[in-house]
Amino acid sequence: MYQLHPYFTNDGSVGLFSPEADDIYHSTYGALSEAYEKFILPADLENYFKIHSEIKILDICYGIGYNTKSFLNFLIDKKFLDIKNKNFSEFFFKKIVKKFCIKNENIVPIDTDNIIHPQYSDQLDIDNIRCSDEIYSNNSSRDSEGENKFINTITSDTIYSNNISTKNSACNQQNKKIFVKAIDTDEKLFYLSPFLRQGNKKDKKYNKLDFNYEKISKLLDNEFSSKYKISQEVNLIVFKNIVEKLPQIFDDKDFESILKFRKYSPFFDRKMLDLFWASKSNRDINNHARSLSTFIHNIYYKYISIRYKKTLNSLILDDFIFEPSIMDARVSLKQDNNIYNFIFLDAFTPAKCPALWSLEFFKLLFSHLDKDGMILTYSNSSAVRNAMLNAGFYVGKIYNKGINKFTGTVAVKNKSLIKYDLSEYDLGLINSRAGIFYRDENLTLSNEAILEAHKKEIALSDKISSSAFIKNYMKQNKEINQK
Ligand SMILES: C[S@@+](CC[C@H](N)C(=O)[O-])C[C@H]1O[C@@H](n2cnc3c(N)ncnc32)[C@H](O)[C@@H]1O
């Protein structure tokens, strides 16, 4: 049976413990905060979008998707991706999910090549549908005039969802694209990613850990402080893409029992669960995932098409391409011809998962990084930095103003992108035994084999040990300060 060990981290986002890796997937400090502060903020995406109209992101170790989701949230927040309307998710759930769940009708997907048929607006009329207030109580503020306006507009014969960008020449000039490739060996985590909710104060009671990992229980006593939040639209976008790209989600019995397991329910978003069950029961036997996906796509697209005319500077949802890859990142990247602008590397620690921190893996990443691209990671390990340097990168540090600390490492091809250089101390450590990097010549070794060889190399090395280096360094600095 698949094992899941969720807990709420200190920012209310859900973290996981992996018994297999005997490690946490997410820091107790906050899974979401970590994603923002270690990947999204240092990427300086606002500046990036001042000069670029396309972006390719490689999310290595997607897990439950915080890095990709934070990225999407950032795009929506900053209006780089235009799906934002404060009523949109309410509309979506009220109209669509309820339609699915309560009436249990088979809604025929509308072909994007076809003109929207006026009948479609009838399908969206929910006035006669019973209301499950518990779930939808948030929707009471929805103003009915807005809904009618929406329905009237989408029935207009002039909207052809596939033709929007070709019809409007201004749109072509703004033809931005967002591509995210997400890799993880664990498909269940992909499936789970759209369902997780953010907890609040009351949810602390669910933090009774069912695993023994002292570090966590000690650190989880704080109140939630949610600096960052993922909007509902992000989970919808991820859901749409997951069911489209990984339709086997509907047939996975283990996954189904995870979603049904009471113990886990506090960690899941009820609305997203409803959407899952609704889509599962309404799917077309031959074409189940596509039908839901086309359906959602159409809803989005029609909605967006109206707004699109007003906001030509923004991206539309179809400009977002998500490619999940369920396999070892080394195998996946060997088969990949993409060049990425940003690479998020979120692979546990080097000592736990050296296969994704080896010299050879960084060489592979070098061949996938744009000349102005950037690899971001939270690792400060000297062995990792040395592997990056030997793979041909310039290496710098990530600085977090909020806590006045260096919190990670960046690797680039264009030196001018480095804001915080490695210090003399960092370079000294890199030249000590601590800087001996992991080797995986053909990118096929197991983590255990890599660790074993690394241990041997350290034992045979005549380099200065890191502790001796630190001692000398402190002594010299003290002498200089005393002079
Ligand atoms: C620290 S967690 C990543 C957390 C994730 N970014 C998130 O937002 O949930 C590490 C992930 O690495 C994945 N992983 C470990 N070895 C891998 C490999 N060789 N290739 C791809 N993924 C791997 C694990 O399945 C796990 O999901």
Side-chain angles (χ1 to χ4, degrees), residues 24-26 59 61-67 183-186 189 327-330 346-348 353 356 378:
I24 49 171
Y25 283 63
H26 307 97
D59 184 355
C61 295
Y62 174 83
I64 42 179
Y66 282 111
N67 301 332
I183 313 176
D184 204 291
T185 41
D186 189 338
L189 295 181
M327 59 176 94
D328 189 309
R330 297 171 294 179
D346 200 352
F348 294 120
C353 192
L356 301 188
Y378 45 70

Side-chain angles (χ1 to χ4, degrees), residues 44-53 80 176:
D44 199 5
L45 294 166
E46 241 165 309
N47 261 332
Y48 178 87
F49 278 113
K50 279 183 191 157
I51 40 175
H52 298 91
S53 57
F80 290 124
K176 298 174 190 167

Side-chain angles (χ1 to χ4, degrees), residues 37-250:
E37 291 175 12
K38 303 206 171 153
F39 296 100
I40 307 305
L41 300 183
D44 199 5
L45 294 166
E46 241 165 309
N47 261 332
Y48 178 87
F49 278 113
K50 279 183 191 157
I51 40 175
H52 298 91
S53 57
E54 297 192 354
I55 190 164
K56 276 193 178 167
I57 302 263
L58 175 61
D59 184 355
I60 304 178
C61 295
Y62 174 83
I64 42 179
Y66 282 111
N67 301 332
T68 291
K69 282 165 61 171
S70 302
F71 169 64
L72 280 173
N73 204 67
F74 172 89
L75 293 179
I76 293 170
D77 246 20
K78 300 285 171 195
K79 309 231 178 331
F80 290 124
L81 183 65
D82 183 34
I83 64 153
K84 185 82 175 169
N85 174 295
K86 66 180 169 47
N87 292 321
F88 177 58
S89 42
E90 286 178 13
F91 167 82
F92 188 89
F93 285 110
K94 193 171 176 189
K95 296 279 192 188
I96 314 305
V97 181
K98 266 169 69 180
K99 179 85 180 171
F100 267 125
C101 295
I102 301 172
K103 266 199 162 176
N104 198 24
E105 266 182 11
N106 233 350
I107 297 184
V108 183
I110 299 154
D111 197 303
T112 49
D113 287 333
N114 290 338
I115 300 167
I116 298 154
H117 195 277
Q119 259 182 0
Y120 184 60
S121 61
D122 298 332
Q123 286 190 342
L124 290 175
D125 184 358
I126 56 146
D127 289 348
N128 297 322
I129 297 173
R130 272 182 298 122
C131 187
S132 159
D133 290 333
E134 189 197 341
I135 303 172
Y136 302 104
S137 54
N138 288 347
N139 295 330
S140 49
S141 63
R142 184 80 187 92
D143 89 73
S144 60
E145 202 189 310
E147 281 169 12
N148 290 337
K149 225 185 274 165
F150 178 86
I151 290 166
N152 289 339
T153 334
I154 62 165
T155 57
S156 156
D157 282 0
T158 56
I159 300 169
Y160 293 74
S161 53
N162 268 351
N163 295 332
I164 292 163
S165 55
T166 49
K167 273 190 161 181
N168 192 328
S169 60
C171 302
N172 284 339
Q173 285 160 24
Q174 303 287 345
N175 194 17
K176 298 174 190 167
K177 293 263 181 247
I178 302 164
F179 175 81
V180 173
K181 174 159 177 166
I183 313 176
D184 204 291
T185 41
D186 189 338
E187 64 181 346
K188 305 276 192 298
L189 295 181
F190 270 107
Y191 298 163
L192 267 180
S193 55
F195 297 99
L196 297 162
R197 61 182 276 266
Q198 207 162 348
N200 54 43
K201 235 184 197 173
K202 283 190 236 153
D203 293 312
K204 274 278 165 184
K205 63 177 179 288
Y206 298 111
N207 262 1
K208 295 188 187 94
L209 304 180
D210 62 349
F211 53 90
N212 185 10
Y213 203 69
E214 266 185 40
K215 252 199 242 168
I216 300 190
S217 33
K218 269 191 208 149
L219 291 168
L220 282 175
D221 296 335
N222 308 331
E223 285 299 318
F224 288 152
S225 64
S226 45
K227 212 165 152 192
Y228 306 101
K229 224 172 166 46
I230 294 277
S231 72
Q232 185 77 58
E233 287 88 345
V234 168
N235 275 342
L236 284 171
I237 296 173
V238 174
F239 179 76
K240 172 195 177 285
N241 279 280
I242 297 285
V243 296
E244 187 177 63
K245 305 285 171 48
L246 305 172
Q248 61 273 32
I249 186 176
F250 289 127

